[in-house]
Amino acid sequence: MGSRTRQRRSSTVSRVTHPPELISAETISRRVRSLAADVDAFYAGTDRLVLIGVLKGSFIFLSDLARHLTVPHRIEFIAVTSYGALESEHADPVRLIMDVRHGIDGEDVLIVEDIVDTGHTLAYLMRLFSARNPRSLRTCTLLHKPERTERDITIDFLGFTIPDVWVVGYGLDYAERYRTLPYLAELPPELR
Ligand code: PRP
């Protein structure tokens, strides 16, 4: 969460509303259906699956993924943010701003992210949830930027590996814009 937030603070918002396509809506849809099938197969037989979406970016991916699932599940959301550069003395750059509503003790937890960038957010969430005694704890992300990842994290269900470009659309924003683009777009530096 931190890196994307920090990068956009000092930038000017462009008025361009249709940045160039990186991954089409059709390709996303096919991949999300396939991921849902993988999740269904992995959790077949359980009635304790809880999907935890990380706000805000995951809200569209989570809703599409969940609607394709046939395995019983419930939905939770969590929100985290990062300390800014002035607060960088904190050991962990991520902090909790909204917790899940119900406990996860004994449940099969699947964290659902839109993107893993540095990996700080996912590392923080793994530590947070593993202390709450879930029956299992796994991760699902639509996008991963391996070139930027600094933490030793495991992604159990992955949509797409992407290069180190600024991605918007399908839930992902730039200064709160572009989240509802139906496709994933690359926002070139001149549009930031
Ligand atoms: C994004 C994304 C992840 C996080 C990943 O959040 O939703 O939670 O960044 O980054 P990391 O791997 O470097 O920790 P963002 O800060 O863009 O907030 P948002 O989801 O509310 O838009």
Side-chain angles (χ1 to χ4, degrees), residues 93-112:
V94 181
R95 69 188 158 102
L96 182 66
I97 55 175
M98 188 194 86
D99 207 341
V100 293
R101 189 170 297 180
H102 302 288
I104 56 164
D105 188 350
E107 299 200 89
D108 295 307
V109 172
L110 182 60
I111 301 170
V112 179

Side-chain angles (χ1 to χ4, degrees), residues 72-156:
H73 60 274
R74 66 181 186 87
I75 306 276
E76 290 276 356
F77 287 101
I78 195 165
V80 292
T81 191
S82 61
Y83 290 105
L86 293 176
E87 302 163 293
S88 58
E89 72 276 9
H90 289 272
D92 196 316
V94 181
R95 69 188 158 102
L96 182 66
I97 55 175
M98 188 194 86
D99 207 341
V100 293
R101 189 170 297 180
H102 302 288
I104 56 164
D105 188 350
E107 299 200 89
D108 295 307
V109 172
L110 182 60
I111 301 170
V112 179
E113 267 284 24
D114 53 320
I115 186 166
V116 173
D117 189 336
T118 63
H120 291 309
T121 303
L122 200 55
Y124 171 85
L125 292 173
M126 289 297 289
R127 199 170 64 251
L128 180 79
F129 292 136
S130 58
R132 297 181 180 182
N133 198 32
R135 184 164 76 170
S136 66
L137 178 56
R138 290 194 163 75
T139 61
C140 175
T141 184
L142 180 68
L143 304 172
H144 181 211
K145 283 185 189 174
E147 288 169 49
R148 300 235 335 140
T149 303
E150 302 168 355
R151 303 294 291 268
D152 184 17
I153 42 116
T154 299
I155 298 171
D156 297 292

Side-chain angles (χ1 to χ4, degrees), residues 1-5 8 54-57 113-122 173 179:
M1 179 160 237
S3 53
R4 288 179 60 84
T5 304
R8 69 189 173 216
V54 186
L55 293 173
K56 299 177 187 174
E113 267 284 24
D114 53 320
I115 186 166
V116 173
D117 189 336
T118 63
H120 291 309
T121 303
L122 200 55
D173 75 311
R179 282 199 201 275

